[in-house]
Amino acid sequence: MGFVTTIKEFFAQPRFRQIFLLGGGAYFVALFALFRADTYYIDDWESSINPHTSWNHFSRFVATFLERLINLQPSVVDLSPITQLFAIAFLVLGGMILNFTIRKKIDYIGVLAAIPLGLSPHFLENLSYKFDSLSMSFSVLCCIVPFLFRENKIAFFISSVVCLLLMYCSYQASNGIYIIISLYITVSLYFIHKHSLKKAISFLLLCIVAFCIASLIYKLWIVKPVNNYVSDSVLPLSQLASGGLEHLSRYLHLLYSDLAYTPYFYAAAIMAVFFIIHFVQLSVRAKIFSLIVAILFVILGVCLSYGAYIILQKPLFEPRAFIGIGCFVALLCVASINDSLDSSHLMRLLAFCQKILVGFICYVLVIFATAYGNALGKQQEYIYFQADFLLRDLENVLPKDKNIAIEIQQGIGYANAAKPFMNAKHYGNIAKRLIPRVMYGGWFFAYPPLLNHRKFPFGGYGALECKDKPAESTLLLSNHYQDIHKAGSCYIITLKDPKP
């Protein structure tokens, strides 16, 4: 099938626009609280006051280009929620391509089944960024697009290399998506579509070669080396096995601790069972063999959802790097849909239960996203209040005729209205990891809210006067919210967490 013909067939699917709008509507309802909260998420505090924001230092050149393109100018301003609406469009389109790739059709239940692709609890961190959400979602789409052309080896290979390079230059953490889908299509070719083992393996090898070539091109000629809180360097060959297992172990531990005991966790586990049953039912190979392979795929899919980050020297373990797990759950949901009309009564009952489960997963993700958006909004209100209170105190005790070096220690904690979301067992440990501790000593983002909220002449994070400050200090001010000390030319602010 030709390149152009495949694209035409995809967009010519019945009720394409209605299905796209349904998917977009589901995302919009889920993210409405986040849009209404209008929050600055970590990097957004800095980006919102810096029109020259760029992502090139992390080799995310496409991200910079997309932001400039959306802004229609070389500078960047806050265009949310327009940027996030574009992100939604990318995610819905990615879910539709996933359906078309796996089921050769697009329908209403299919687009809902793909909702975990972009509404998984971990990906909510990606969507929280006013500026970065656009490129992060685009990177997800890039990992899925090549599989539209999997029946044409040349088109698939070329599009894989090109799209993977676009992904790397948009947001590198999405790479696990390509790996997961490649693995599923490989096993489905042999077990479901009656292709020979040779053809299935050749497809897998084609995926591996495309992935390796794109990764090498990016590593050798595009990437700008990074080595701070993360690193783009691969583990040395002697540490590849041990280091990779250590990173995988940490990833799986965080994944479990993030989601354990939440309704989404149990629903995804049940969906994995439905997937295994459906896979065995469709398989044309020996059923026991098919069962073993289906179970192995589920296990490998969870592990490989972290992608190539496993072998990096310093990979990122924040929720925004756990993009692949959302795609994996979406793939399980989509691949479990029973489209057969001549199934037994038992299989039809299972198919009905699976569709009910898809609806339940969508509902769980919508209420999680809504609760999260509201909690994040309350936390930002709290940050603004604390920043304003601190700046007024600083005005009263600091000299007015020169720039001041300050150092923030400890933190303001969390807004009382945000704590129920983070403490409820229903939302899991991921809820605590999603709400950032912005005004918290020890990192750069203790300071941007002060600059964002009100201009003040001080040198913040990393100021030399505070690096070399004397041990002794003088107390200038103390109240329920902060203490302000002077140590030499450095003013030390100790923020207080008013825990109930």
Side-chain angles (χ1 to χ4, degrees):
M1 186 179 296
F3 184 86
V4 176
T5 304
T6 302
I7 294 177
K8 286 183 178 179
E9 182 184 357
F10 171 70
F11 285 103
Q13 289 295 299
R15 300 180 299 278
F16 184 94
R17 283 178 292 182
Q18 294 91 323
I19 294 168
F20 180 86
L21 290 173
L22 173 65
Y27 275 97
F28 185 81
V29 170
L31 299 174
F32 180 75
L34 181 64
F35 296 158
R36 184 184 59 187
D38 190 27
T39 60
Y40 290 124
Y41 197 86
I42 310 180
D43 296 42
D44 289 339
W45 289 99
E46 176 73 13
S47 300
S48 64
I49 57 176
N50 180 15
H52 305 294
T53 294
S54 170
W55 293 263
N56 291 350
H57 58 292
F58 278 122
S59 305
R60 294 170 55 193
F61 305 103
V62 172
T64 302
F65 171 77
L66 286 175
E67 286 293 338
R68 301 289 190 270
L69 181 64
I70 294 298
N71 277 266
L72 300 178
Q73 58 181 348
S75 59
V76 173
V77 297
D78 181 3
L79 292 180
S80 63
I82 291 177
T83 48
Q84 290 152 315
L85 291 176
F86 273 107
I88 288 175
F90 292 146
L91 294 168
V92 175
L93 195 59
M96 295 172 74
I97 295 174
L98 188 66
N99 272 275
F100 188 75
T101 299
I102 294 174
R103 300 171 57 225
K104 299 304 295 181
K105 63 186 293 188
I106 301 171
D107 54 14
Y108 296 114
I109 187 64
V111 77
L112 293 178
I115 284 293
L117 179 69
L119 279 186
S120 70
H122 292 92
F123 200 78
L124 286 177
E125 180 171 68
N126 305 74
L127 290 173
S128 299
Y129 287 96
K130 288 172 172 282
F131 296 86
D132 301 65
S133 58
L134 177 70
S135 58
M136 290 174 172
S137 299
F138 179 73
S139 72
V140 171
L141 178 61
C142 288
C143 290
I144 302 174
V145 165
F147 296 98
L148 266 178
F149 316 106
R150 65 183 180 86
E151 294 181 4
N152 184 319
K153 287 185 177 180
I154 296 176
F156 173 73
F157 180 79
I158 294 174
S159 62
S160 289
V161 173
V162 172
C163 287
L164 286 171
L165 286 172
L166 290 173
M167 175 273 296
Y168 279 129
C169 294
S170 301
Y171 195 63
Q172 300 88 342
S174 297
N175 71 88
I177 293 176
Y178 185 87
I179 297 173
I180 294 168
I181 300 176
S182 298
L183 185 61
Y184 174 75
I185 292 180
T186 298
V187 296
S188 67
L189 285 175
Y190 181 71
F191 285 90
I192 297 176
H193 300 294
K194 303 180 182 180
H195 291 293
S196 66
L197 182 61
K198 180 180 178 181
K199 184 169 183 177
I201 293 177
S202 67
F203 175 79
L204 180 61
L205 290 175
L206 190 64
C207 294
I208 293 172
V209 171
F211 188 87
C212 290
I213 288 177
S215 301
L216 283 173
I217 292 174
Y218 177 73
K219 177 65 177 174
L220 296 176
W221 292 293
I222 299 177
V223 72
K224 291 184 176 181
V226 173
N227 187 22
N228 39 59
Y229 69 95
V230 292
S231 172
D232 63 287
S233 299
V234 177
L235 287 163
L237 191 59
S238 59
Q239 301 175 18
L240 202 60
S242 60
L245 286 174
E246 182 181 342
H247 293 158
L248 178 60
S249 175
R250 184 179 176 188
Y251 170 68
L252 294 177
H253 172 75
L254 283 171
L255 200 57
Y256 177 78
S257 63
D258 281 347
L259 302 176
Y261 309 115
T262 64
Y264 177 66
F265 177 82
Y266 292 119
I270 296 171
M271 185 59 73
V273 175
F274 276 118
F275 168 82
I276 293 170
I277 294 172
H278 189 59
F279 185 89
V280 173
Q281 178 209 10
L282 293 180
S283 176
V284 296
R285 311 298 175 183
K287 298 303 180 184
I288 297 297
F289 184 35
S290 302
L291 176 64
I292 294 171
V293 169
I295 294 172
L296 286 175
F297 170 77
V298 171
I299 296 171
L300 279 175
V302 174
C303 296
L304 295 177
S305 62
Y306 196 43
Y309 271 30
I310 292 174
I311 60 172
L312 293 183
Q313 290 188 16
K314 288 192 291 184
L316 183 65
F317 288 102
E318 297 302 317
R320 60 184 177 273
F322 290 28
I323 297 178
I325 193 63
C327 176
F328 177 68
V329 175
L331 189 150
L332 293 181
C333 293
V334 171
S336 300
I337 298 175
N338 189 346
D339 294 315
S340 176
L341 299 177
D342 56 354
S343 302
S344 65
H345 291 297
L346 177 60
M347 295 311 299
R348 288 184 181 180
L349 177 62
L350 287 173
F352 175 76
C353 293
Q354 188 270 347
K355 291 176 182 177
I356 295 297
L357 187 58
V358 165
F360 178 73
I361 289 175
C362 289
Y363 177 72
V364 166
L365 294 179
V366 167
I367 62 171
F368 186 100
T370 301
Y372 165 67
N374 288 328
L376 195 62
K378 295 303 179 184
Q379 184 65 16
Q380 174 141 303
E381 290 177 9
Y382 182 53
I383 291 170
Y384 273 138
F385 164 75
Q386 290 282 14
D388 185 66
F389 198 90
L390 171 57
L391 287 171
R392 280 184 287 170
D393 278 352
L394 290 173
E395 282 282 346
N396 292 328
V397 300
L398 299 186
K400 308 293 190 297
D401 59 344
K402 62 178 180 179
N403 288 340
I404 302 301
I406 70 170
E407 178 180 275
I408 292 179
Q409 297 180 355
Q410 299 188 30
I412 63 173
Y414 296 104
N416 285 336
K419 289 177 181 178
F421 169 70
M422 295 185 292
N423 296 335
K425 193 175 183 180
H426 176 81
Y427 296 110
N429 191 56
I430 183 62
K432 298 177 183 177
R433 297 221 292 148
L434 285 174
I435 305 292
R437 301 182 71 174
V438 174
M439 288 188 68
Y440 189 80
W443 72 324
F444 171 76
F445 290 101
Y447 303 91
L450 304 179
L451 287 170
N452 182 284
H453 191 48
R454 176 181 169 191
K455 186 176 181 181
F456 192 82
F458 65 81
Y461 183 70
L464 291 176
E465 294 88 342
C466 291
K467 283 186 176 181
D468 302 326
K469 65 182 181 295
E472 295 183 358
S473 62
T474 304
L475 179 65
L476 301 179
L477 180 146
S478 180
N479 55 40
H480 291 294
Y481 299 96
Q482 60 254 334
D483 293 338
I484 301 178
H485 290 79
K486 181 180 180 183
S489 300
C490 178
Y491 291 82
I492 305 168
I493 301 163
T494 304
L495 298 174
K496 299 178 180 179
D497 179 3
K499 297 178 181 178

